Amino acid sequence: MRRSSAALSMVRMSSLVRFRLGGDVLLTDENGVSDISGADFAQAFVDEIETPTHTG
């Protein structure tokens, strides 16, 4: 499942190869945490270049 979203913080952790779309809404987990790994952020960035879904 590959979807992109902005996270509140980028953390040093292994890639989960999954992330969620949030648009302009900050997404958090059940504990209020909003993290993304550097590898997952990079993948979301490349996905957006290859298949643009955000315009404006």
Side-chain angles (χ1 to χ4, degrees):
M1 161 168 97
R2 287 190 176 153
R3 296 178 278 173
S4 62
S5 176
L8 185 58
S9 63
M10 188 176 298
V11 295
R12 184 177 287 176
M13 65 181 180
S14 298
S15 171
L16 301 174
V17 192
R18 70 171 202 253
F19 29 91
R20 301 177 292 167
L21 280 176
D24 292 335
V25 177
L26 178 66
L27 299 177
T28 61
D29 66 12
E30 60 277 355
N31 298 315
V33 176
S34 178
D35 292 338
I36 190 168
S37 72
D40 287 338
F41 181 83
Q43 184 61 57
F45 191 83
V46 170
D47 288 351
E48 184 64 24
I49 292 170
E50 291 177 343
T51 308
T53 56
H54 299 89
T55 60

